[in-house]
Amino acid sequence: MSASPVVTRFAPSPTGHLHVGGARSALFCWAYAKNQGGRFMLRIEDTDAARSSDDSARGIMEDLAWLGIEWDDGPVLSLADGRTVGGDARGVGPYFQARRVSLYNRCAEQLVKAGRAYPAFETPEVIDAQRREAVAAKKTYRYPRPEEIEPGRFNDALKARWDRALAGESHVLRFVAPAHEIIVQDRVLGAVKIAAGELDDFVIRKADGFPTYHFAVVVDDETMGVSHVMRAQEHLANTPRHVALQQALGFRTPIYAHMPLIMNMDNSKMSKRDKAKAARAKLQERVSKGLTPAAAAAALELPESEVASFLAKDNDSLAVAERIARVYDVTLPEIEVCDFRAAGYLPEAMCNFLGLLGWNPGMKSPDGKDLEKFDLAFLRQHFSIERIGRTNSKFDRLKLLAFNADAIAALPDAEFAARWRHWCEEFEPALVRAVPTDRWPWLARAVKARARTLRDGAKAAAFALLDDASYTLDQGAVAKHLQSAGGAGLRLLADARARLAAAEPFEPEVLHGVLEQMAQQNGGMGLVAQPIRVAIAGVAVSPPLPESLAVLGKARVLARIDRCIGLAST
Ligand code: GLU
C-alpha cells in the first residue's frame, strides 16, 4: 500500500431504504476510489439506536450490490453468484458504529482531559425551555458555555464535572467550540469559511452514551483511514464542526468534496415525502369529486381521523400513502433504489443515470453530442472530482426511462429472458407460474421490443394470466373485429381455429407461417390478427401473435377461441 492510499466511504444511517441520492453518493465514492486505485468502504452509522435496524442495513447493502457498487471494506455480504463483498482487509473495522462505542469514549475522554469537552447536566426540559426563550426573543439558540469552563484546561471545575459523569449522573458531553475561524477547503465548492465564534458548544456524546453523528464521523474517518469524504451538499453545514473536532483531536482533515443535491423537475427536493404528496393529491381529487372522508376511511380500512390528518398534511405516513396507492390505483413516484428495482429498472441504466447527476465525462460521442451513455467500467476509468458540478441536478424521470428502454433493447434476447424471469420471480410470481419454463423465451422475445421497464414486460404479458374460462372480452373490440361486416372476423377466427388446431409443433415459427398464409389469403395481417387477439387476450392488443399463441399452448388457445366464438356469436 502506498503512503496515502485513497480511501472513500459511503456512510448510510440504517433508518430506511437506500435513497437514490445515497446511491449517487455511493457511486461517486466508489468510482473515485477505483479510479485512483484506492479502496471504497461501507460504514453503517447506526448510533441512533431507536431509528436504526439490521433489516435496513441489510437492505441498503443489497441495493448497493444490486447496482453493482461493491465495497472493498465493510460488512460482509454474500452475493447470489457465490462471491462476497466487504471484509476487513485493512483491520479498521468493525463497520457498524454501534460496535465502536469504546473507541468514541476513549476519544471523548481525551477531549475532556484536554479541556476541549465537558459534561453538561441540564435536563432536556431545561434546554428546551432555553431554546423556546431564544425563539421568543427571535434569537438563534446557543448553549451558554458555563463560565467555569476554560478552553484547553482540565481545571478543577471540569474535573468535578467529569467525576460526576463517571459516577453515573445523567449528562451529555459538549465540545468546547474553538474561537477561531474555520475554513473548509472543499474540492467542489472551494473555500467555505465559518467566522470565529460561530460554532456553538455542540453535543458530541448523547445521554444514552452514544456519540452524535458529528463525533462518530470524525473519529471514524480518522481511524478508518478515510482520505476523501465525498457526500451530498446537505452535509456541508456540518463540515466546519467536523474540522473543528479534527483539530481538537489532532487528526488530519480529509479532502472534502460535497456533491450537488438531487431535485425533482419542479425544483423541490426529492424526498420520501413525494410519495405522500402524490397519494394525497389523488385522494384530494377524489374528495373534491364527492368521496366523503368516511367512505375513504372505510375503503382504506383506516380510522377516519388518520385519513383526515393525512389529508390535512399533519403527517406524511408512508403506510397511508401506500394504502391509498393500492386502493385507488395510484402509482407512487419511485424514490428509493428498491422502488426502481420493483418498477423494473435495470441496474446498469440506473448507474448510468445516477452517474450523470452532478457529474459528466465532458466527452463527445461519435455523433457529436455530449457523451451520456456509459457503464461502470467507463465511470471508474474516467471519474474525476474536477468534473463534479456545483449546481443542483434534476432527476429527469423521462430520461431515466429512456435510458432503461435502451438498456433493455441492448440486451441479447437470452439475457433479457433470464433477467426478466428473475425479476418476475420476485415481483410477478404468478406470471412465472403461468408460463412453462420452456416457453418463457418466446414470451420474453414477444414483450422485449416494447418494454421500457421489466414491469412493462409483465403488463404486456398479462394475457398469459387470464383464466381461460372467465376473462372479459372487450365489447367494443368484439363488435369491431369480430361482429362487424356481417361477422367477417368471426368467420376468420373459425378458420384460424381450424388451422391452429392442425399446427405442429405449436411453436412461433410454425405459427408465424400459419398466420402469414392466412394473411395472404384474407387481405392482410391486420384483418387476420385482430380477431385472434381479441379471442386470446380479450382486447385487440397483444404482443406479437406467433409468440403469444405459442406461450399459451394449443389447448389454451383453442379453448379461448371456442369461448370467444361462442360469446361473440350470440
Ligand atoms: N450517516 C450520514 C447520513 O446518512 C452520513 C453523512 C456523511 O457522509 O458523513 O447522512
Side-chain angles (χ1 to χ4, degrees):
M1 208 180 281
S2 70
S4 55
V6 167
V7 176
T8 61
R9 90 299 194 274
F10 177 54
S13 306
T15 55
H17 298 294
L18 178 62
H19 185 282
V20 281
R24 191 279 313 262
S25 295
L27 181 66
F28 285 14
C29 289
W30 171 88
Y32 185 66
K34 296 291 126 183
N35 180 267
Q36 297 290 307
R39 299 182 78 81
F40 170 57
M41 179 178 94
L42 175 66
R43 178 174 73 222
I44 305 293
E45 305 212 323
D46 57 349
T47 55
D48 185 342
R51 295 178 60 226
S52 299
S53 77
D54 288 347
D55 277 356
S56 161
R58 195 176 169 80
I60 289 171
M61 290 193 268
E62 283 171 351
D63 286 345
L64 286 172
W66 176 75
L67 286 167
I69 304 172
E70 298 182 358
W71 52 101
D72 304 298
D73 305 323
V76 175
L77 180 75
S78 303
L79 303 179
D81 63 7
R83 289 180 308 125
T84 57
V85 290
D88 193 17
R90 291 185 300 127
V92 298
Y95 294 92
F96 287 81
Q97 287 186 326
R99 297 182 202 159
R100 299 171 67 83
V101 172
S102 57
L103 171 65
Y104 308 131
N105 284 339
R106 281 203 300 281
C107 293
E109 179 169 357
Q110 179 194 329
L111 283 182
V112 172
K113 294 281 171 65
R116 307 256 20 138
Y118 57 92
F121 300 96
E122 291 85 356
T123 60
E125 291 75 31
V126 169
I127 298 288
D128 276 351
Q130 288 178 355
R131 190 165 280 137
R132 275 198 303 274
E133 243 173 69
V135 171
K138 298 205 161 54
K139 286 190 186 144
T140 321
Y141 173 70
R142 286 173 69 92
Y143 176 80
R145 181 183 301 163
E147 275 175 13
E148 65 198 31
I149 300 298
E150 294 177 80
R153 284 199 56 209
F154 187 62
N155 62 13
D156 288 348
L158 179 51
K159 182 168 184 312
R161 282 174 176 254
W162 187 233
D163 287 343
R164 281 167 69 189
L166 291 180
E169 192 172 335
S170 177
H171 68 284
V172 298
L173 276 189
R174 288 185 177 271
F175 179 54
V176 178
H180 57 262
E181 176 188 67
I182 300 280
I183 301 178
V184 178
Q185 294 292 352
D186 189 87
R187 283 278 293 273
V188 176
L189 301 168
V192 181
K193 289 187 190 159
I194 301 299
E198 232 175 67
L199 287 183
D200 66 345
D201 284 3
F202 58 90
V203 175
I204 59 170
R205 190 173 70 189
K206 298 173 278 186
D208 64 6
F210 279 105
T212 56
Y213 155 68
H214 303 300
F215 194 55
V217 143
V218 165
V219 172
D220 286 344
D221 286 342
E222 169 74 11
T223 54
M224 298 169 120
V226 171
S227 65
H228 291 67
V229 171
M230 299 167 64
R231 59 187 173 198
Q233 268 175 30
E234 64 204 355
H235 288 293
L236 182 66
N238 296 326
T239 309
R241 296 177 177 202
H242 300 177
V243 172
L245 278 170
Q246 287 151 6
Q247 291 172 352
L249 284 158
F251 292 169
R252 307 156 298 132
T253 289
I255 290 168
Y256 284 103
H258 286 90
M259 301 180 265
L261 299 179
I262 300 175
M263 315 300 271
N264 290 314
M265 294 307 276
D266 66 4
N267 246 335
S268 59
K269 187 156 180 242
M270 199 177 162
S271 89
K272 285 180 202 176
R273 259 179 251 136
D274 296 345
K275 291 187 186 175
K277 262 197 230 162
R280 185 178 295 120
K282 181 72 172 190
L283 196 58
Q284 257 152 1
E285 183 192 312
R286 294 270 179 152
V287 168
S288 71
K289 286 186 185 151
L291 177 74
T292 64
L300 294 167
E301 293 177 42
L302 288 171
E304 210 181 316
S305 57
E306 202 170 334
V307 175
S309 77
F310 184 81
L311 274 173
K313 301 188 191 168
D314 289 344
N315 72 66
D316 286 324
S317 160
L318 191 57
V320 175
E322 280 170 352
R323 188 80 63 95
I324 293 170
R326 232 183 1 261
V327 173
Y328 294 107
D329 197 24
V330 198
T331 310
L332 299 181
E334 298 91 5
I335 303 289
E336 285 141 343
V337 171
C338 56
D339 298 333
F340 290 95
R341 191 159 69 91
Y345 286 88
L346 300 185
E348 56 267 45
M350 287 298 297
C351 282
N352 186 174
F353 178 76
L354 292 175
L356 289 166
L357 293 179
W359 183 82
N360 69 68
M363 296 180 193
K364 298 281 178 202
S365 49
D367 60 7
K369 296 200 181 120
D370 289 343
L371 187 143
E372 288 205 311
K373 290 293 177 66
F374 48 76
D375 59 9
L376 285 177
F378 176 95
L379 193 65
R380 64 185 281 171
Q381 193 185 345
H382 296 284
F383 189 84
S384 66
I385 293 181
E386 285 65 41
R387 294 204 60 82
I388 295 179
R390 289 158 168 250
T391 48
N392 293 343
S393 24
K394 290 257 170 80
F395 197 90
D396 183 346
R397 290 172 186 273
L398 291 178
K399 180 168 175 169
L400 171 59
L401 192 59
F403 275 26
N404 204 58
D406 289 351
I408 286 179
L411 290 177
D413 283 356
E415 192 182 339
F416 172 76
R419 288 175 64 174
W420 183 49
R421 187 176 174 89
H422 189 66
W423 180 89
C424 286
E425 277 163 3
E426 189 174 352
F427 297 106
E428 291 289 342
L431 189 58
V432 176
R433 282 194 301 274
V435 179
T437 320
D438 57 337
R439 296 183 200 166
W440 187 268
W442 298 333
L443 183 62
R445 195 167 75 199
V447 303
K448 183 175 166 233
R450 284 163 173 264
R452 294 164 309 162
T453 64
L454 299 177
R455 185 167 294 289
D456 280 352
K459 280 191 197 144
F463 72 92
L465 286 173
L466 300 175
D467 178 56
D468 295 341
S470 65
Y471 61 97
T472 314
L473 293 174
D474 175 54
Q475 283 317 306
V478 168
K480 181 169 174 199
H481 298 293
L482 295 172
Q483 294 168 330
S484 66
L490 268 172
R491 282 192 297 280
L492 273 174
L493 188 57
D495 181 22
R497 190 215 186 271
R499 296 184 196 221
L500 291 170
E504 275 306 330
F506 206 77
E507 290 178 4
E509 220 164 287
V510 173
L511 298 172
H512 180 76
V514 169
L515 294 171
E516 275 295 326
Q517 197 180 36
M518 272 194 82
Q520 276 164 23
Q521 295 164 357
N522 292 282
M525 190 54 93
L527 288 180
V528 172
Q530 295 309 69
I532 302 176
R533 287 210 159 92
V534 174
I536 65 153
V539 288
V541 208
S542 82
L545 263 186
E547 281 80 6
S548 302
L549 294 168
V551 164
L552 290 173
K554 190 185 284 186
R556 294 183 74 189
V557 165
L558 299 184
R560 288 185 183 197
I561 292 179
D562 289 343
R563 176 169 172 269
C564 177
I565 291 177
L567 290 171
S569 305
T570 53

